[in-house]
């Protein structure tokens, strides 16, 4: 990663949610960074805490969630400082693209109304959020129609007055992308933005997204479970398993020379990135009954007795540009 | 939209015809004989026969019904067998009172029910929620006549805040009739003292009539809102920085009142029939008390006419509800 101060940095984030059956250790020392203008892929199977991590970054954690340790910094601002409330600063500078375009839009309000509402509370650059006086509304409207044009929605003026069900899934995702980019945020958080779409639409949406953020040098945190998407989109990758960061590095390094056994196994699940397809036996452990030490241990073919005692810390291999948390890496610098 | 409304209005006619057949059949099967009642207590058999002939009651029932249909189709609802006044005239005079009462109750039900339901959902499982739930259960459990008498006792007789009965004070001249709704007429004619009196008189009966429906609306709004709060679009708006209170009103609320509006339409029917009891207790000169008198005197022309009028109103209200529905939810258009 780069030497300059990262735009978003998550360090040693440990988060638990108490439940009736016991404390769920959802995130266990998650660490990664997003530099300015960088696209970082956050990869992991379902149930590994990706969604909770996003909620923590966006400041919409459920009330029961407890941060045990760690920090999330965004452009020098402590995002965990204001409890679970998202700060205005973050609303303005972090755009969000949700997973499912079919359910993210309110069915009984016009698309334009909903886009206006979101832009109202983030504001255009230089505008205080929530303010709608003077000709702000008119300005927002014009800006949003321009955004709809940018995401290739046909006849944007007319689209503004239509309802979500009158658009296809791909078009709805374009609308959500336009909305996320409308306040010109520094960072886009995209939660599996193409999972709900069919394959051909997926490609189009990803290409469009890539173009749009390259124009503005916007950073992006792209959550996905698909290494194919990572190869196409990302500069760097952070691999998570059951709430633990396993390996961080550049997309090239991770895809071509993975170190962590989990990364290797995950890559092996992808036909286009691997010669033979092999699944990973077993399932992600429940965060309540997570094994001590490395949580991938029970499914790992290289597992050693030490793995189940204490989790190996994230280390930088000598001369390497990445972080790995695995006993296989015995030489390195602690991150 | 226009085509939709026209279609719905056309569908009114079979409904009314069915209504007429059913009511007529019920009256025919009922044990009381209108001719006997009309002829008076001391009438001889010949007198009763004469009355029967005079009113056409000796003809076969389908002929009687056919004659009645012919009359109704030209807007003639017949003459009351009891007072000899044209039924249509009586209804025209009394209907506005019932409509006014029902409308005020409907507004109370809508505003009160939706507010309570929303509060219960937003502060789910808090003391506020418990209070709103208690009110809902009370609304469903308490009998109308009991509530009416209690309200009269406490607020009219002990506290003296509201009059016990009637629509306006007996010595007062009603406001100039424009719509027949005193509240509206008194405002239109800038007669504010009449308006104040009309409000005072309608308060207790309207609360009585609204209470049960209010509870239903509150329960539907609450559960629908709780369901909508878990929807993806709520967490999406939250994630993009829209404040919670803005997400509730209007975004979640609009989705949640869809079921409440359906309920309001159905409840309007029960408002009209509920008005029968409330009008009797509060001496409200509406169509409900008129109907009760007609039933006591076996005045079948009146019973039929009131049934038609109430049926038509009910059907019309449900058309309006469908239209409002389509306005709230674009997917139905």
């Amino acid at each position: 990663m780069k030497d300059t101060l990262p735009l978003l940095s998550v360090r040693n984030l440990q988060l638990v949610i108490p439940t009736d059956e016991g404390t769920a250790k959802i995130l266990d020392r998650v660490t990664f960074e997003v530099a300015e203008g960088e696209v970082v892929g956050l990869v992991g199977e379902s149930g590994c805490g990706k969604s909770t991590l996003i909620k923590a970054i966006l400041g919409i954690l459920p009330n029961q969630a407890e941060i045990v340790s760690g920090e999330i910094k965004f452009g020098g601002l402590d995002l965990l400082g204001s409890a679970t409330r998202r700060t205005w600063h973050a609303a303005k500078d972090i755009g969000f693209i949700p997973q499912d375009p079919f359910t993210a839009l309110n069915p009984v309000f016009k698309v334009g109304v909903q886009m206006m509402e979101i832009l109202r509370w983030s504001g255009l650059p230089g505008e205080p959020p929530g303010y709608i006086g003077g000709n702000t509304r008119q300005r927002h409207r014009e800006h949003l129609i321009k955004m709809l044009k940018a995401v290739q929605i046909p006849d944007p003026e007319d689209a503004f007055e239509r309802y979500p069900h009158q658009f296809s899934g791909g078009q709805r995702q374009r609308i959500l992308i336009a909305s996320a980019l409308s306040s010109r945020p520094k960072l886009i958080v995209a939660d599996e933005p193409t999972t709900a779409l069919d394959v051909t639409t997926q490609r189009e949406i990803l290409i469009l997204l890539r173009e749009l953020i390259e124009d503005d040098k916007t950073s992006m945190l792209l959550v996905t479970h698909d290494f194919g998407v990572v190869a196409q989109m990302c500069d760097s990758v952070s691999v998570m398993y059951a709430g633990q960061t396993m390996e961080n590095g550049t997309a090239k390094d991770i895809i071509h020379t993975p170190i962590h056994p989990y990364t290797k196994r995950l890559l092996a699940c992808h036909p286009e990135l691997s010669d033979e397809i092999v699944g990973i036996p077993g399932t992600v452990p429940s965060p309540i009954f997570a094994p001590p030490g490395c949580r991938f241990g029970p499914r790992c073919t290289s597992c050693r007795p030490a793995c189940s005692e204490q989790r190996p810390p994230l280390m930088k291999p000598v001369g390497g540009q990445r972080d790995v948390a695995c006993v296989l890496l015995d030489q390195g610098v602690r991150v | 939209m226009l085509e939709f409304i026209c279609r719905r209005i056309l569908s009114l006619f079979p409904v009314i015809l069915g209504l007429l057949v059913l009511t007529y059949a019920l009256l025919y099967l009922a044990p009381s004989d209108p001719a006997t009642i009309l002829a008076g207590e001391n009438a001889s058999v010949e007198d009763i026969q004469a009355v029967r002939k005079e009113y056409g009651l000796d003809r076969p029932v389908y002929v009687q019904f056919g004659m009645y249909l012919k009359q109704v189709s030209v807007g003639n609802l017949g003459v009351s067998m009891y007072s000899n006044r044209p039924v249509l005239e009586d209804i025209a005079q009394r209907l506005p009172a019932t409509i006014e009462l029902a409308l005020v109750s409907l507004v109370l039900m809508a505003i009160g029910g939706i507010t309570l339901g929303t509060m219960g959902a937003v502060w789910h499982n808090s003391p506020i929620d418990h209070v709103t739930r208690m009110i809902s259960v009370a609304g469903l459990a308490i009998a109308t006549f009991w509530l009416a008498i209690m309200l009269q006792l406490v607020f009219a007789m002990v506290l003296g805040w509201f009059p016990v009965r009637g629509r306006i004070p007996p010595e007062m001249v009603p406001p100039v009739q424009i719509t027949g709704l005193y509240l509206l007429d008194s405002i239109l004619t800038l007669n504010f003292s009449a308006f104040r009196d009309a409000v005072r008189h309608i308060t207790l009966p309207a609360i009585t009539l609204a209470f049960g429906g209010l509870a239903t609306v509150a329960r539907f709004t609450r559960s629908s809102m709780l369901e909508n709060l878990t929807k993806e679009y709520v967490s999406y708006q939250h994630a993009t920085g829209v404040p919670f209170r803005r997400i509730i009103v209007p975004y979640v609320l609009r989705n949640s009142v869809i079921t409440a509006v359906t309920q309001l339409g159905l409840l309007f029917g029960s408002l009209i029939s509920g008005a029968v009891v409330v009008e009797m207790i509060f001496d409200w000169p509406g169509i409900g008390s008129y109907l009760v008198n007609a039933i006591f005197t076996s005045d079948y022309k009146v019973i039929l006419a009131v049934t038609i009028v109430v049926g038509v109103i009910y059907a019309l209200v449900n058309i309006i509800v469908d239209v409002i529905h389509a306005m709230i939810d674009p997917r139905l258009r």
Side-chain angles (χ1 to χ4, degrees):
Chain A
M1 314 218 173
K2 286 150 206 154
D3 298 329
T4 48
L5 194 71
L7 179 64
L8 175 78
S9 94
V10 178
R11 297 200 75 80
N12 281 319
L13 186 66
Q14 217 170 343
L15 183 148
V16 299
I17 296 179
T19 69
D20 293 341
E21 292 159 67
T23 307
K25 298 174 272 302
I26 308 282
L27 300 178
D28 184 18
R29 285 166 294 167
V30 170
T31 300
F32 68 90
E33 288 175 352
V34 181
E36 238 163 88
E38 189 185 30
V39 178
V40 175
L42 188 66
V43 183
E45 288 167 81
S46 344
C48 74
K50 289 177 295 183
S51 307
T52 309
L53 182 59
I54 291 179
K55 284 191 179 134
I57 294 167
L58 295 172
I60 54 164
L61 283 172
N63 290 332
Q64 318 91 283
E66 259 175 67
I67 308 280
V68 179
S69 67
E71 58 171 31
I72 302 179
K73 288 221 163 150
F74 176 72
L77 184 90
D78 183 7
L79 288 189
L80 296 176
S82 51
T84 57
R85 282 278 156 90
R86 117 178 252 161
T87 56
W88 290 127
H89 181 79
K92 192 180 194 56
D93 289 336
I94 303 181
F96 174 61
I97 302 172
Q99 184 175 113
D100 187 353
F102 292 94
T103 54
L105 288 166
N106 192 320
V108 303
F109 284 85
K110 287 176 183 166
V111 162
V113 171
Q114 298 187 57
M115 293 181 80
M116 292 280 280
E117 189 74 46
I118 289 167
L119 185 55
R120 176 184 170 189
W121 299 103
S122 43
L124 286 171
E127 275 179 4
Y131 174 74
I132 37 163
N135 59 353
T136 313
R137 282 183 152 276
Q138 190 51 36
R139 224 177 30 243
H140 282 185
R141 199 190 135 88
E142 280 163 15
H143 177 67
L144 287 170
I145 286 172
K146 233 184 287 165
M147 292 302 301
L148 285 177
K149 199 174 270 167
V151 295
Q152 295 152 21
I153 293 284
D155 201 353
E157 296 261 356
D158 177 58
F160 209 70
E161 304 299 329
R162 279 156 72 187
Y163 291 91
H165 69 273
Q166 296 170 296
F167 295 94
S168 70
Q171 282 177 319
R172 285 190 227 185
Q173 195 57 288
R174 286 165 195 269
I175 290 166
L176 294 169
I177 289 170
S179 210
L181 290 164
S182 64
S183 63
R184 299 202 183 289
K186 294 191 181 112
L187 174 73
I188 294 283
V189 176
D191 183 4
E192 308 197 18
T194 56
T195 312
L197 305 172
D198 60 62
V199 190
T200 45
T201 320
Q202 271 185 22
R203 270 190 64 82
E204 285 169 22
I205 294 285
L206 288 174
I207 290 167
L208 174 76
L209 195 54
R210 178 94 218 193
E211 279 171 13
L212 287 169
I213 61 169
E214 268 172 1
D215 287 351
D216 273 0
K217 298 237 179 316
T218 313
S219 305
M220 177 156 74
L221 178 64
L222 178 65
V223 178
T224 177
H225 54 254
D226 185 349
F227 261 112
V229 171
V230 170
Q232 189 187 344
M233 299 286 290
C234 300
D235 305 317
S236 304
V237 187
S238 174
V239 180
M240 257 175 93
Y241 179 80
Q244 296 179 330
T245 301
M246 295 301 179
E247 188 165 10
N248 295 334
T250 64
K252 210 174 125 207
D253 284 352
I254 299 274
I255 290 172
H256 296 297
T257 53
I259 293 179
H260 199 286
Y262 177 62
T263 316
K264 287 180 185 163
R265 300 303 295 264
L266 205 55
L267 280 162
C269 300
H270 281 274
E272 68 268 37
L273 301 168
S274 152
D275 300 333
E276 51 171 337
I277 306 169
V278 200
I280 309 177
T283 51
V284 181
S286 140
I288 300 173
F289 306 107
C294 177
R295 291 186 182 176
F296 186 59
R299 293 170 82 184
C300 182
T301 45
S302 322
C303 188
R304 300 172 188 183
C307 295
S308 54
E309 278 160 30
Q310 212 196 350
R311 186 188 163 206
L314 267 183
M315 309 271 278
K316 248 188 217 320
V318 180
Q321 279 290 309
R322 63 170 106 187
D323 315 327
V324 184
C326 186
V327 285
L328 290 180
L329 184 81
D330 40 12
Q331 283 189 323
V333 189
R334 194 160 171 171
V335 177
Chain B
M1 190 61 131
L2 198 68
E3 193 203 323
F4 170 76
I5 296 173
C6 289
R7 248 200 339 259
R8 290 304 311 265
I9 289 176
L10 279 178
S11 74
L12 265 181
F13 291 99
V15 172
I16 294 169
L17 188 68
L19 193 71
L20 279 170
V21 172
L22 269 179
T23 321
Y24 209 89
L26 273 179
L27 279 178
Y28 180 75
L29 294 172
S32 77
D33 176 13
T36 321
I37 297 170
L38 273 172
E41 270 175 51
N42 304 318
S44 63
V45 182
E46 286 79 28
D47 289 343
I48 295 176
Q49 250 348 302
V51 169
R52 194 161 280 154
K53 205 168 185 87
E54 188 192 332
Y55 284 91
L57 294 169
D58 55 342
R59 322 248 319 248
V61 65
Y62 57 87
V63 177
Q64 289 184 42
F65 184 64
M67 279 160 50
Y68 184 68
L69 269 190
K70 206 170 140 195
Q71 270 187 6
V72 170
S73 62
V74 294
N76 179 4
L77 292 178
V79 173
S80 161
M81 297 162 71
Y82 185 69
S83 67
N84 261 327
R85 286 164 47 84
V87 176
L88 196 62
E89 226 168 78
D90 277 348
I91 290 182
Q93 196 199 345
R94 285 170 160 268
L95 191 60
T98 299
I99 301 253
E100 182 173 40
L101 184 60
L103 282 179
V104 172
S105 300
L106 195 70
V107 170
L108 284 180
M109 251 163 44
I111 295 176
I114 290 172
T115 310
L116 278 182
T118 304
M119 282 165 60
V122 170
W123 289 286
H124 185 40
N125 281 338
S126 75
I128 294 175
D129 188 21
H130 298 320
V131 171
T132 59
R133 281 219 304 261
M134 247 153 63
I135 295 175
S136 313
V137 173
L140 294 175
I142 289 175
T144 312
F145 64 88
W146 184 86
L147 180 65
I149 294 168
M150 284 301 129
L151 288 177
Q152 280 181 327
L153 196 66
V154 176
F155 293 101
M157 295 169 88
V158 176
L159 295 170
W161 293 353
F162 301 102
V164 179
R165 56 165 59 123
R167 202 175 168 202
I168 43 161
E171 70 280 1
M172 201 160 162
V173 187
V176 182
Q177 181 158 352
I178 300 167
T179 58
L181 312 179
Y182 285 1
L183 290 173
L184 209 57
D185 287 349
S186 57
I187 283 188
L188 289 176
T189 55
L190 304 176
N191 186 348
F192 294 112
S193 72
F195 179 73
R196 215 195 61 216
D197 271 313
V199 169
R200 271 163 45 87
H201 277 81
I202 207 168
T203 305
L204 293 185
I207 290 175
T208 311
L209 197 52
F211 199 53
L214 185 147
T216 312
V217 173
R219 289 174 71 97
F220 272 91
T221 308
R222 177 178 173 276
S223 63
S224 169
M225 191 158 237
L226 282 177
E227 189 202 319
N228 272 293
L229 279 170
T230 64
K231 289 272 167 75
E232 218 36 55
Y233 65 80
V234 174
S235 54
Y236 170 63
Q237 281 196 322
H238 195 186
T240 54
V242 180
F244 189 61
R245 55 167 206 282
R246 273 297 287 181
I247 298 177
I248 298 293
V249 184
Y251 292 97
V252 178
L253 187 64
R254 181 132 159 208
N255 284 278
S256 308
V257 295
I258 292 172
T259 44
V261 168
T262 317
Q263 282 306 312
L264 283 173
L266 296 173
L267 285 165
F268 194 82
S270 69
L271 277 184
I272 303 272
S273 51
V276 172
V277 176
V278 174
E279 284 181 7
M280 290 304 282
I281 298 174
F282 286 97
D283 198 15
W284 192 262
I287 208 167
S289 46
Y290 183 56
L291 177 65
V292 172
N293 285 327
I295 291 171
F296 284 148
T297 54
S298 284
D299 196 344
Y300 76 99
K301 287 272 168 67
V302 174
I303 301 176
L304 275 172
V306 172
T307 312
I308 300 170
V309 169
V310 171
V312 170
I313 291 175
Y314 188 57
L316 280 176
V317 165
N318 276 290
I319 292 175
I320 295 171
V321 166
D322 285 345
V323 172
I324 295 177
H325 233 143
M327 275 161 61
I328 297 178
D329 192 342
R331 288 165 300 183
L332 295 175
R333 280 174 217 158

